Amino acid sequence: MIIDIVTIFPEFFDTFLSTSIIKRAITQQQVNIRLHQIRDYSHHKHHNIDDTPYGGGVGMLMTFPPFYDVIMKLKTEKSIVIYLSPQGKLFNQKMAKKLAQSDHLVLLCGHYEGVDARIEALIDMEVSIGDYVLTGGEIPAMIISDAVTRLLPDVIHEDSAEEDSLQNGWLKFPQYTKPETYKGHNVPELLLSGHHQKIADWRKEQQIRTTFNKRRDLIKGIKMTKEEQIILDKVKNESKNSKD
Ligand code: ADE
């Protein structure tokens, strides 16, 4: 996959691209992340890319021509062009999975008070990473690149992506590592039993419990199996009885 990131701050990405799993995915050519300085597409002598809004108002807007030119240069029939903005569709794991199927993403980072609205005619999606306003689209571009890259084939262990929080809608089950006991805090006995089926059943139940306790809002979006529904009903009943 190719991810093209258009930004006024390419240096913002230095550590991101040279660390950990993203670095490895780049080295192993599972992803090619390319940075583009939007100022290089400025039509002004001094490389300005912002101006005051028509009709008045506070702040500066990023101008249309540099975005038009860079999009025209990068876009192919396989591209998904994404403008990062707090007004966009909320990013989530389902969107990450969909984007990971594509060959080419173009991520446009906005700044100042936004970008000239004519950009909307050139993009495929406007995406927000959450209901808050950041100073620019660089951190959102990193978040999307990170979430998508780790889903590409062989970037992380496939079973590990399968077991992700949210990958099948449920949050992840709790996990423990050595030591078995520390200052009276013990690892659940069952996990030390070596009984694979019992452990798998316990983990499924824990996923459902954790989701019910921490993120009940996610449950309505989950297509659950009969078995999961039975466990959820049990968890709901327990919760009801403990309140009565
Ligand atoms: N730019 C500024 N805030 C943003 C957000 N929440 N998501 C995506 N891009 C942004």
Side-chain angles (χ1 to χ4, degrees):
M1 162 181 280
I2 295 175
I3 304 179
D4 282 312
I5 301 176
V6 177
T7 170
I8 44 172
F9 296 125
E11 68 279 5
F12 214 103
F13 295 83
D14 290 350
T15 310
F16 172 65
L17 298 181
S18 60
T19 309
S20 186
I21 291 169
I22 301 299
K23 176 187 177 182
R24 195 182 62 202
I26 292 168
T27 310
Q28 297 181 351
Q29 298 181 358
Q30 287 142 333
V31 68
N32 182 6
I33 302 182
R34 307 187 298 198
L35 296 166
H36 305 272
Q37 170 55 272
I38 185 82
R39 288 189 191 283
D40 294 345
Y41 294 81
S42 168
H43 291 206
H44 294 278
K45 196 165 76 195
H46 300 296
H47 301 289
N48 296 5
I49 36 79
D50 60 322
D51 217 322
T52 52
Y54 281 120
V58 285
M60 301 288 269
L61 287 182
M62 292 179 84
T63 58
F64 181 58
F67 280 103
Y68 180 92
D69 293 354
V70 74
I71 292 168
M72 288 308 142
K73 182 168 168 205
L74 298 175
K75 191 179 162 125
T76 69
E77 66 284 3
K78 287 183 169 177
S79 312
I80 301 178
V81 179
I82 299 173
Y83 168 46
L84 298 156
S85 113
Q87 279 127 35
K89 187 172 174 202
L90 272 186
F91 185 65
N92 59 18
Q93 190 65 15
K94 192 171 161 200
M95 198 190 288
K97 271 168 98 172
K98 226 185 205 160
L99 295 178
Q101 306 295 315
S102 99
D103 291 318
H104 183 209
L105 303 179
V106 179
L107 305 180
L108 308 170
C109 305
H111 257 272
Y112 308 108
E113 304 304 315
V115 176
D116 186 306
R118 284 170 285 185
I119 194 179
E120 285 185 19
L122 308 180
I123 60 173
D124 298 302
M125 295 170 79
E126 186 170 353
V127 174
S128 166
I129 56 149
D131 288 334
Y132 38 80
V133 181
L134 302 167
T135 57
E138 282 73 18
I139 294 172
M142 280 185 228
I143 289 174
I144 292 174
S145 305
D146 187 289
V148 167
T149 298
R150 66 185 290 287
L151 294 176
L152 298 176
D154 302 322
V155 169
I156 57 169
H157 199 282
E158 203 165 311
D159 295 345
S160 160
E162 267 309 300
E163 280 185 0
D164 273 348
S165 259
L166 303 173
Q167 192 72 308
N168 58 5
W170 301 104
L171 296 182
K172 193 158 182 156
F173 47 80
Q175 289 184 290
Y176 304 84
T177 185
K178 292 182 188 68
E180 265 177 51
T181 177
Y182 191 70
K183 313 266 188 206
H185 295 264
N186 301 326
V187 171
E189 283 277 334
L190 183 90
L191 296 178
L192 312 172
S193 69
H195 198 303
H196 298 303
Q197 189 54 50
K198 278 192 182 153
I199 291 172
D201 292 346
W202 180 86
R203 285 180 165 165
K204 171 57 72 187
E205 180 167 330
Q206 290 300 318
Q207 277 194 282
I208 294 169
R209 273 186 197 287
T210 307
T211 312
F212 184 78
N213 291 330
K214 295 187 182 174
R215 289 293 308 275
R216 216 164 286 184
D217 58 298
L218 294 173
I219 292 178
K220 63 180 181 311
I222 298 175
K223 279 198 210 97
M224 51 187 109
T225 63
K226 245 192 203 144
E227 180 208 357
E228 288 170 340
Q229 184 67 62
I230 291 167
I231 301 170
L232 178 63
D233 289 344
K234 181 177 98 171
V235 171
K236 276 184 182 166
N237 266 332
E238 279 175 18
S239 154
K240 195 165 149 269
N241 292 338
S242 73
K243 278 190 205 130
D244 292 342

